[in-house]
Every structure is written in structure tokens, then in C-alpha cells.
Amino acid sequence: MKFDELEIHEISIEYEDKPAEEVIKWAIENFHPKFYVAWSGQAEDMVLIDMAWRINPDIRVFTIDTGRLHEETYKLMEEVENKYGIRIEIFFPEAKDVEDMVKKYGINLFYKSIELRHFCCHVRKVRLLAKALNKVDAWITGLRREQWASRHNIMKIEVDHDHGQIVKINPLADWTEKDVWDYIRKHKVPYNELYRKGYRSIGCAPCTRPVAPFEDTRAGRWWWEKNAPKECGMHCSLETGGFEKIADKLLEGAKDGNSDSGKNL
Ligand code: SF4
């Protein structure tokens, strides 16, 4: 690794008040090509791609195709590739894991319990993220502090303790939702059609719904759950660390092949 934790901490303080473009420029200069832009079809991701591409058109972008995405997200994926002349690197869940999980707990297991929802996110997303990040020294995300309580303390540059101490860069940490849309309009950046249908945060189709104007932006994610974090475990050590053992156990149980409603979890 190019920097140790103390150095990243010092750089983080230095860059905390700098604009997003400068943070991205620092990241590309220091890590490209072992550097990924994370893309999941959200407006923030489009800002990142546009900014990073203006600095270096050879940027590497990755996404996770959970198999349950909206059609509009696939459409945008193609639009991004055409507009920016890049090929998004797609990571897919292990077919056998999905097969075992669905056989045991059902195709829509996420509605049955919070634990099964986390399990599905783990099989379809979190494991793939670990696989993707194993290939790079740094990654860049569109996380913003105002999105959710679990994101209030993120820094623009930080060490990712959940993924092998690589560097995680959150250039939009201090941006508002308005800042994101101002940038998109100003630079004519393409965006997901779902936003025109009332969505304000985009995830898998069965787990995301449009929200009312007075609702929180992430209220449409796993909307049926009460008192659970609006996180899938990709950005939250609670799930990535603590849930690993439970997920392994559930996967082990899924491999025995018997169907189960999952209601006892
Ligand atoms: Fe599964 Fe829903 Fe998580 Fe997507 S968001 S991985 S469908 S639980």
C-alpha cells in the first residue's frame, strides 16, 4: 500500500475542505489504474463518473449486478458506456449461492425477516464488493453525510477497514441532494429515469420504492422494515463484519436443499 494509516489520516484532514474535483484528482493521480469508481445507477455515481472522466477518460468503473435491478438501471448502464466510452466491469453473484438461497428461503426472502434481507444483500452484493475491491488499492463512492445517520461521520478520504485497509474516497461527503442535481443539470449528465418516477435513492427493484416529497431520501429502501438501518452492508461495518458468520451459517443451511419459510429467523 502506498500510504500507511497515519499518512491517510493527515491527507484526509488536508483534503476535508477541498472541492470534490480536487479529491478525485488526488485519488486518480495516486491510485489509477488500481482504482475503481463504484456505480449503482444513483445520481451521485453519475456525478463521480462525469468528474473522474473529465480528469482521466480511462477511469475504471465497477458495478454489482444483483440480478434484481430495475430495467431503467440497465438502460442507464448502457448509456454510460456509450457516452463516456468506457466498459463498466460487472460483478455477478455466485450462481450456486443464489440457487441455494432461493431454494431454501424463496425468491423474495427479503420480505420475511431483517436477517434474511441482510442475507440476500450479503449473497447478492456484499460478497461481490469484497471480490471487486480485492483488485484495487482505492475506491470512490457517492456517499453523502446527510443521506443517513450511519453516514454522518464519513470523511472524504479514509481507510476502508472492512476491505483490506484500502483507501475509500467519498468526494461528495459534504454535498446536499441539491448540489448533486445542480451538477447533473449544469453538465447535462445522464441519470436514471427512476428519479422522474419519484425515486430518490436507487437499489434493487423489489426493495426500493418511490418516496413522497416530505419523506427521507432513503425511506424507499427496504420500506417495510422497522428499526433497521437503511444499509445493505456494503458501507456499514456492522453488517460486513458482524453478519459474515451469520451469513455463512444461513448459506450452509441453504445448501442442505430443504425449503424453509425463514419465519423462524
Ligand atoms: Fe436482495 Fe433486496 Fe438486498 Fe437486492 S436490495 S440484494 S434484492 S435484499
PDB file of all heavy atoms in Angstrom, residues 66 68 110 117 120-121 124-125 204 206-207 222, ligand 1:
ATOM      1  N   THR A  66     -26.928  -7.472  -9.108  1.00  0.00           N
ATOM      2  CA  THR A  66     -27.524  -8.409  -8.142  1.00  0.00           C
ATOM      3  C   THR A  66     -28.476  -9.393  -8.813  1.00  0.00           C
ATOM      4  O   THR A  66     -28.898 -10.367  -8.212  1.00  0.00           O
ATOM      5  CB  THR A  66     -28.328  -7.637  -7.076  1.00  0.00           C
ATOM      6  OG1 THR A  66     -29.411  -6.959  -7.746  1.00  0.00           O
ATOM      7  CG2 THR A  66     -27.472  -6.637  -6.336  1.00  0.00           C
ATOM      8  N   ARG A  68     -31.411  -8.411  -9.586  1.00  0.00           N
ATOM      9  CA  ARG A  68     -32.747  -7.909  -9.233  1.00  0.00           C
ATOM     10  C   ARG A  68     -32.837  -6.395  -9.478  1.00  0.00           C
ATOM     11  O   ARG A  68     -33.640  -5.716  -8.838  1.00  0.00           O
ATOM     12  CB  ARG A  68     -33.058  -8.212  -7.754  1.00  0.00           C
ATOM     13  CG  ARG A  68     -32.993  -9.671  -7.343  1.00  0.00           C
ATOM     14  CD  ARG A  68     -34.026 -10.543  -8.041  1.00  0.00           C
ATOM     15  NE  ARG A  68     -35.396 -10.142  -7.810  1.00  0.00           N
ATOM     16  CZ  ARG A  68     -36.232 -10.743  -6.940  1.00  0.00           C
ATOM     17  NH1 ARG A  68     -35.812 -11.767  -6.231  1.00  0.00           N
ATOM     18  NH2 ARG A  68     -37.472 -10.335  -6.809  1.00  0.00           N
ATOM     19  N   PHE A 110     -36.348 -11.626   1.245  1.00  0.00           N
ATOM     20  CA  PHE A 110     -36.055 -10.371   1.972  1.00  0.00           C
ATOM     21  C   PHE A 110     -37.260  -9.796   2.697  1.00  0.00           C
ATOM     22  O   PHE A 110     -37.127  -9.044   3.652  1.00  0.00           O
ATOM     23  CB  PHE A 110     -35.475  -9.323   1.013  1.00  0.00           C
ATOM     24  CG  PHE A 110     -35.942  -9.479  -0.407  1.00  0.00           C
ATOM     25  CD1 PHE A 110     -37.192  -9.047  -0.780  1.00  0.00           C
ATOM     26  CD2 PHE A 110     -35.135 -10.102  -1.345  1.00  0.00           C
ATOM     27  CE1 PHE A 110     -37.642  -9.211  -2.074  1.00  0.00           C
ATOM     28  CE2 PHE A 110     -35.575 -10.277  -2.653  1.00  0.00           C
ATOM     29  CZ  PHE A 110     -36.839  -9.829  -3.031  1.00  0.00           C
ATOM     30  N   ARG A 117     -33.190 -10.538   4.824  1.00  0.00           N
ATOM     31  CA  ARG A 117     -32.892  -9.436   3.891  1.00  0.00           C
ATOM     32  C   ARG A 117     -31.378  -9.193   3.879  1.00  0.00           C
ATOM     33  O   ARG A 117     -30.760  -9.072   2.816  1.00  0.00           O
ATOM     34  CB  ARG A 117     -33.662  -8.176   4.314  1.00  0.00           C
ATOM     35  CG  ARG A 117     -33.630  -7.097   3.242  1.00  0.00           C
ATOM     36  CD  ARG A 117     -32.408  -6.219   3.342  1.00  0.00           C
ATOM     37  NE  ARG A 117     -32.558  -5.224   4.385  1.00  0.00           N
ATOM     38  CZ  ARG A 117     -31.640  -4.318   4.667  1.00  0.00           C
ATOM     39  NH1 ARG A 117     -30.488  -4.301   4.013  1.00  0.00           N
ATOM     40  NH2 ARG A 117     -31.819  -3.457   5.635  1.00  0.00           N
ATOM     41  N   CYS A 120     -29.722 -11.883   1.864  1.00  0.00           N
ATOM     42  CA  CYS A 120     -29.815 -11.687   0.418  1.00  0.00           C
ATOM     43  C   CYS A 120     -28.817 -10.616  -0.034  1.00  0.00           C
ATOM     44  O   CYS A 120     -28.088 -10.800  -1.015  1.00  0.00           O
ATOM     45  CB  CYS A 120     -31.251 -11.298   0.042  1.00  0.00           C
ATOM     46  SG  CYS A 120     -31.489 -11.102  -1.728  1.00  0.00           S
ATOM     47  N   CYS A 121     -28.760  -9.489   0.710  1.00  0.00           N
ATOM     48  CA  CYS A 121     -27.792  -8.436   0.369  1.00  0.00           C
ATOM     49  C   CYS A 121     -26.371  -8.985   0.436  1.00  0.00           C
ATOM     50  O   CYS A 121     -25.509  -8.610  -0.356  1.00  0.00           O
ATOM     51  CB  CYS A 121     -27.925  -7.252   1.329  1.00  0.00           C
ATOM     52  SG  CYS A 121     -29.342  -6.192   1.015  1.00  0.00           S
ATOM     53  N   ARG A 124     -25.945 -11.349  -2.680  1.00  0.00           N
ATOM     54  CA  ARG A 124     -26.054 -10.681  -3.979  1.00  0.00           C
ATOM     55  C   ARG A 124     -25.195  -9.427  -4.107  1.00  0.00           C
ATOM     56  O   ARG A 124     -25.021  -8.916  -5.199  1.00  0.00           O
ATOM     57  CB  ARG A 124     -27.512 -10.305  -4.256  1.00  0.00           C
ATOM     58  CG  ARG A 124     -28.427 -11.502  -4.514  1.00  0.00           C
ATOM     59  CD  ARG A 124     -29.806 -11.000  -4.909  1.00  0.00           C
ATOM     60  NE  ARG A 124     -30.791 -12.043  -5.055  1.00  0.00           N
ATOM     61  CZ  ARG A 124     -31.043 -12.692  -6.205  1.00  0.00           C
ATOM     62  NH1 ARG A 124     -30.352 -12.396  -7.278  1.00  0.00           N
ATOM     63  NH2 ARG A 124     -31.977 -13.614  -6.257  1.00  0.00           N
ATOM     64  N   LYS A 125     -24.706  -8.889  -2.971  1.00  0.00           N
ATOM     65  CA  LYS A 125     -23.941  -7.634  -3.056  1.00  0.00           C
ATOM     66  C   LYS A 125     -22.612  -7.673  -2.296  1.00  0.00           C
ATOM     67  O   LYS A 125     -21.542  -7.478  -2.872  1.00  0.00           O
ATOM     68  CB  LYS A 125     -24.752  -6.467  -2.455  1.00  0.00           C
ATOM     69  CG  LYS A 125     -25.929  -6.003  -3.221  1.00  0.00           C
ATOM     70  CD  LYS A 125     -26.528  -4.807  -2.473  1.00  0.00           C
ATOM     71  CE  LYS A 125     -27.760  -4.263  -3.147  1.00  0.00           C
ATOM     72  NZ  LYS A 125     -28.335  -3.150  -2.368  1.00  0.00           N
ATOM     73  N   CYS A 204     -32.182  -2.345  -5.548  1.00  0.00           N
ATOM     74  CA  CYS A 204     -32.824  -3.431  -6.278  1.00  0.00           C
ATOM     75  C   CYS A 204     -34.325  -3.145  -6.416  1.00  0.00           C
ATOM     76  O   CYS A 204     -34.934  -2.541  -5.528  1.00  0.00           O
ATOM     77  CB  CYS A 204     -32.632  -4.743  -5.528  1.00  0.00           C
ATOM     78  SG  CYS A 204     -30.937  -5.331  -5.554  1.00  0.00           S
ATOM     79  N   PRO A 206     -37.162  -4.994  -6.118  1.00  0.00           N
ATOM     80  CA  PRO A 206     -38.171  -5.366  -5.114  1.00  0.00           C
ATOM     81  C   PRO A 206     -37.991  -4.653  -3.780  1.00  0.00           C
ATOM     82  O   PRO A 206     -38.871  -4.716  -2.925  1.00  0.00           O
ATOM     83  CB  PRO A 206     -37.971  -6.877  -4.932  1.00  0.00           C
ATOM     84  CG  PRO A 206     -36.719  -7.240  -5.611  1.00  0.00           C
ATOM     85  CD  PRO A 206     -36.213  -6.089  -6.384  1.00  0.00           C
ATOM     86  N   CYS A 207     -36.864  -3.989  -3.588  1.00  0.00           N
ATOM     87  CA  CYS A 207     -36.546  -3.415  -2.273  1.00  0.00           C
ATOM     88  C   CYS A 207     -36.492  -1.887  -2.283  1.00  0.00           C
ATOM     89  O   CYS A 207     -35.987  -1.265  -1.347  1.00  0.00           O
ATOM     90  CB  CYS A 207     -35.200  -3.954  -1.786  1.00  0.00           C
ATOM     91  SG  CYS A 207     -35.196  -5.746  -1.637  1.00  0.00           S
ATOM     92  N   TRP A 222     -36.009  -0.711   1.487  1.00  0.00           N
ATOM     93  CA  TRP A 222     -36.484  -1.704   2.469  1.00  0.00           C
ATOM     94  C   TRP A 222     -37.571  -1.062   3.349  1.00  0.00           C
ATOM     95  O   TRP A 222     -37.541  -1.135   4.573  1.00  0.00           O
ATOM     96  CB  TRP A 222     -35.309  -2.200   3.318  1.00  0.00           C
ATOM     97  CG  TRP A 222     -34.166  -2.657   2.462  1.00  0.00           C
ATOM     98  CD1 TRP A 222     -34.136  -3.766   1.688  1.00  0.00           C
ATOM     99  CD2 TRP A 222     -32.888  -1.998   2.280  1.00  0.00           C
ATOM    100  NE1 TRP A 222     -32.927  -3.840   1.014  1.00  0.00           N
ATOM    101  CE2 TRP A 222     -32.145  -2.771   1.362  1.00  0.00           C
ATOM    102  CE3 TRP A 222     -32.308  -0.839   2.797  1.00  0.00           C
ATOM    103  CZ2 TRP A 222     -30.859  -2.412   0.949  1.00  0.00           C
ATOM    104  CZ3 TRP A 222     -31.032  -0.487   2.389  1.00  0.00           C
ATOM    105  CH2 TRP A 222     -30.331  -1.272   1.480  1.00  0.00           C
TER     106      TRP A 222
HETATM  107 FE1  SF4 B   1     -31.602  -8.764  -2.148  1.00  0.00          FE
HETATM  108 FE2  SF4 B   1     -33.130  -6.607  -1.854  1.00  0.00          FE
HETATM  109 FE3  SF4 B   1     -30.605  -6.626  -0.942  1.00  0.00          FE
HETATM  110 FE4  SF4 B   1     -31.127  -6.541  -3.564  1.00  0.00          FE
HETATM  111  S1  SF4 B   1     -31.577  -4.941  -2.012  1.00  0.00           S
HETATM  112  S2  SF4 B   1     -29.622  -7.789  -2.600  1.00  0.00           S
HETATM  113  S3  SF4 B   1     -32.933  -7.887  -3.700  1.00  0.00           S
HETATM  114  S4  SF4 B   1     -32.340  -7.864  -0.213  1.00  0.00           S
END
